[in-house]
């Protein structure tokens, strides 16, 4: 709160904060504007039916998109195409040497990779919008509980709706980049944060108040709110935790000047993989559920999927979810952090870890430390990801709990990062103002 008050006192920061608020308002307005060709009255009736059902996957996706998915708005795709494209481009660095070379080029290479990410985002937006419209037309998107939401099923109408939804994704991507350049925080993360919070708070309040104001339970609400607060504090603590490996640089003579001789450290986060493992695990487990929606509900395999993989409290779901989180925690860290490259860079600039020889010995040591950190990080992610399941089973709640492990990690991580950037910019402007006032006083004294 103190940081926010100080930020509003500075004109430049106040303008940045107001700009971010303006972009958020535009984003939220677009989430409620339906695309042409859909029956909005039928959609509202559909969402009301789904709100009272125990259907799991669609409700969570709608919560993550800020409620725009089930309303088939112009921003129905939200930020998911961009997130998917960013992850795919990052993973392709292992497969395509050209991408890895661009990553090593610095700012120019990252600019080129960002351009590839934009192209892939548009392609994924076309694919995802087509899939959503086809499933909405067949009724599978609303779990076959609604009437015809798209009366006109002609090819021309479908093309127009796909173009509008794809254009909405492009607009969101542009707004996110504007927030990053002219506002505070990482633009795409801020929009994800607002999408989750827009559906998160009403669902949390619904536990105590009830869907119709009469069937709530304030005891369960207090327990859920208390556990959520404790988990958020715990997540902030772990996300800030680091393993600092000391690094010593030798003194080197370059020309007539002596460089080096300093001591620093290599910061390694406990959770190097971030929120990626829960997202990957939940996305993969959602695929069989989506396939089962198109099958005959009387068939044995469809019933097995609905009982075991569509239910987040089943033993099969918990076991597969646990294995996937642990796997992706190690896998994604292996991609994003290369001990050999880090050791070579340290050796090139004359750096070494005290007690460890430079080169391959340093690489082996870093790999050993990362494996230990990944073990702790995987346990931490499992704890946070399975807390909602434990609450559902202990309090006998339905599966539409207002938060999940991914939601907690995003809210805590994005909020913490945004506040950190706001504090850094506040101190920067205060320091610049101090220097400006000091120079003015010196000129006046002269």
């Amino acid at each position: 709160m103190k940081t926010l008050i100080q930020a509003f006192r500075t004109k430049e920061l106040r303008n940045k904060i107001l700009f971010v608020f303006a972009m958020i308002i535009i984003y939220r307005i677009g989430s409620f504007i339906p695309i042409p060709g859909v029956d909005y009255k039928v959609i509202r009736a559909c969402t009301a039916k789904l709100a009272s059902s125990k259907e799991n996957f669609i409700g969570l996706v709608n919560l993550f998109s800020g409620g725009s998915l089930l309303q088939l708005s112009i921003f129905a795709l939200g930020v998911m195409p961009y997130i998917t494209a960013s992850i795919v481009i990052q993973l392709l660095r292992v497969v395509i040497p050209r991408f890895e070379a661009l990553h090593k080029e610095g700012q120019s290479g990252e600019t080129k990779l960002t351009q590839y990410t934009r192209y892939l985002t548009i392609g994924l937006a076309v694919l995802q919008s087509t899939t959503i419209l086809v499933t909405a037309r067949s009724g599978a998107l609303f779990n076959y509980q609604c009437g015809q939401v798209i009366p006109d099923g002609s090819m021309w109408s479908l093309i127009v709706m796909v173009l509008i939804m794809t254009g909405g994704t492009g607009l969101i991507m542009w707004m996110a980049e504007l927030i990053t350049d002219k506002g505070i925080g990482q633009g795409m993360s801020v929009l994800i944060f607002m999408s989750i919070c827009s559906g998160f708070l009403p669902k949390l309040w619904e536990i105590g108040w009830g869907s119709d104001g009469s069937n709530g339970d304030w005891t369960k609400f207090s327990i859920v709110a208390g556990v959520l607060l404790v988990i958020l504090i715990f997540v902030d603590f772990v996300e800030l935790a680091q393993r600092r490996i000391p690094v010593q640089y030798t003194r080197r003579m370059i020309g007539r000047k002596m460089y080096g001789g300093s001591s620093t450290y290599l910061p390694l986060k406990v959770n190097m993989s971030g929120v990626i493992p829960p997202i990957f695990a939940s996305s993969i487990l959602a695929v069989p559920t989506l396939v089962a929606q198109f099958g005959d509900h009387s068939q044995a395999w469809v019933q097995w999927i609905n009982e075991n993989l569509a239910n987040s409290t089943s033993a099969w779901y918990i076991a597969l979810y646990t294995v996937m989180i642990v796997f992706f925690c190690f896998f994604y860290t292996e991609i994003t952090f290369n001990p050999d490259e880090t050791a070579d860079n340290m050796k090139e600039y004359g750096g070494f870890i005290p007690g460890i020889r430079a080169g391959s010995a340093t690489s082996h040591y870093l790999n050993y430390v990362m494996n230990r950190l990944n073990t702790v990080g995987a346990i931490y992610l499992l704890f946070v990801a399975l807390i909602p399941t434990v609450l559902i089973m202990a309090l006998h709640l339905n599966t539409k709990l207002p938060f999940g492990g991914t939601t907690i990690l995003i809210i805590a991580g994005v909020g913490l990062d945004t506040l950190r950037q706001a504090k850094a910019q506040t101190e920067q402007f205060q320091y610049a103002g101090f220097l400006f006032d000091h120079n003015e006083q010196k000129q006046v004294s002269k």
Side-chain angles (χ1 to χ4, degrees):
M1 182 61 69
K2 183 179 178 181
T3 302
L4 187 61
I5 294 175
Q6 292 177 350
F8 267 100
R9 290 177 179 176
T10 307
K11 180 180 178 181
E12 291 83 357
L13 288 178
R14 183 169 63 249
N15 291 337
K16 288 187 175 184
I17 294 175
L18 294 177
F19 178 79
V20 173
F21 284 159
M23 292 292 102
I24 291 174
I25 291 173
I26 295 174
Y27 175 66
R28 292 305 303 156
I29 291 175
S31 299
F32 293 94
I33 301 177
I35 57 176
V38 301
D39 192 333
Y40 189 63
K41 293 182 179 179
V42 176
I43 288 179
R44 295 195 62 179
C46 288
T47 53
K49 290 181 181 179
L50 290 176
S52 60
S53 67
K54 293 187 178 181
E55 199 275 330
N56 181 31
F57 176 72
I58 297 298
L60 289 178
V61 173
N62 191 51
L63 174 65
F64 192 78
S65 64
S68 60
L69 173 64
L70 292 184
Q71 295 182 15
L72 293 180
S73 69
I74 59 175
F75 289 164
L77 298 179
V79 297
M80 291 307 297
Y82 185 85
I83 295 175
T84 306
S86 300
I87 295 174
V88 169
I89 293 296
Q90 201 166 14
L91 294 177
L92 286 179
R93 283 168 42 195
V94 183
V95 182
I96 303 177
R98 170 61 178 168
F99 284 5
E100 183 65 24
L102 288 174
H103 175 69
K104 294 180 179 180
E105 288 181 4
Q107 184 63 34
S108 60
E110 291 296 335
T111 303
K112 195 69 175 179
L113 289 176
T114 302
Q115 187 176 1
Y116 291 154
T117 304
R118 293 170 183 165
Y119 294 151
L120 183 58
T121 300
I122 299 300
L124 290 175
V126 173
L127 178 62
Q128 292 181 12
S129 60
T130 304
T131 304
I132 289 174
L133 292 174
V134 170
T135 53
R137 172 72 179 173
S138 64
L141 182 65
F142 300 96
N143 204 23
Y144 299 101
Q145 298 183 21
C146 309
Q148 186 56 257
V149 297
I150 304 179
D152 185 7
S154 63
M155 181 61 67
W156 172 248
S157 178
L158 178 64
I159 292 175
V160 171
M161 288 188 285
V162 167
L163 290 177
I164 292 175
M165 294 177 70
T166 304
T169 300
L171 181 59
I172 292 174
M173 186 167 52
W174 177 67
M175 290 167 56
E177 293 180 356
L178 285 180
I179 292 175
T180 303
D181 295 337
K182 300 182 180 181
I184 294 179
Q186 208 280 332
M188 196 60 68
S189 299
V190 171
L191 294 182
I192 295 173
F193 180 85
M194 293 309 303
S195 296
I196 292 177
C197 289
S198 63
F200 169 80
L201 296 177
K203 291 295 182 182
L204 180 62
W205 181 258
E206 188 176 315
I207 295 178
W209 186 256
S211 58
D212 56 357
S214 60
N215 58 347
D217 191 327
W218 289 105
T219 302
K220 294 181 180 180
F221 171 82
S222 302
I223 295 174
V224 171
V227 171
L228 175 62
L229 181 61
V230 172
I231 293 300
L232 286 175
I233 296 174
F234 173 71
V235 169
D236 286 339
F237 175 78
V238 176
E239 292 297 326
L240 292 175
Q242 294 178 346
R243 169 69 187 276
R244 296 182 176 182
I245 299 178
V247 180
Q248 180 73 37
Y249 286 91
T250 58
R251 297 175 63 86
R252 296 184 301 168
M253 179 69 72
I254 301 179
R256 296 184 178 181
K257 293 184 179 181
M258 185 71 70
Y259 294 91
S262 61
S263 298
T264 182
Y265 61 87
L266 178 65
L268 298 177
K269 293 182 62 177
V270 174
N271 180 27
M272 291 283 288
S273 57
V275 74
I276 297 301
I279 290 179
F280 275 18
S282 58
S283 299
I284 292 176
L285 288 175
V287 173
T289 305
L290 290 176
V291 174
Q293 289 185 353
F294 294 94
D296 188 359
H297 292 272
S298 61
Q299 296 181 355
W301 67 273
V302 175
Q303 295 177 0
W304 188 90
I305 290 177
N306 291 332
E307 292 176 0
N308 296 282
L309 298 184
N311 182 13
S312 61
T313 60
S314 67
W316 274 99
Y317 186 94
I318 294 175
L320 292 174
Y321 194 53
T322 301
V323 171
M324 288 184 182
I325 286 181
V326 174
F327 170 75
F328 284 117
C329 184
F330 283 86
F331 176 73
Y332 190 75
T333 304
E334 186 72 20
I335 294 175
T336 56
F337 181 79
N338 190 343
D340 296 334
E341 182 181 349
T342 304
D344 292 340
N345 292 335
M346 290 172 56
K347 184 178 180 180
E348 180 180 354
Y349 290 99
F352 64 94
I353 300 174
I356 307 295
R357 294 182 59 183
S360 60
T362 299
S363 176
H364 292 318
Y365 177 75
L366 292 177
N367 192 41
Y368 167 74
V369 173
M370 285 307 306
N371 286 333
R372 297 177 64 186
L373 288 177
N374 279 334
T375 303
V376 178
I379 296 174
Y380 153 73
L381 287 177
L382 283 175
F383 174 75
V384 176
L386 294 179
I387 279 293
T389 303
V390 174
L391 284 177
I392 290 173
M393 299 173 66
L395 300 179
H396 302 288
L397 298 170
N398 57 33
T399 53
K400 297 183 69 175
L401 196 68
F403 64 89
T406 307
T407 304
I408 296 174
L409 291 171
I410 291 176
I411 290 177
V414 175
L416 189 64
D417 183 65
T418 304
L419 287 176
R420 190 186 308 165
Q421 291 190 29
K423 183 178 181 180
Q425 294 192 26
T426 300
E427 295 175 351
Q428 176 185 355
F429 280 108
Q430 287 179 346
Y431 184 68
F434 170 76
L435 291 178
F436 182 74
D437 295 338
H438 182 67
N439 292 333
E440 281 189 343
Q441 291 178 3
K442 289 177 65 177
Q443 292 177 0
V444 171
S445 62
K446 290 180 179 180

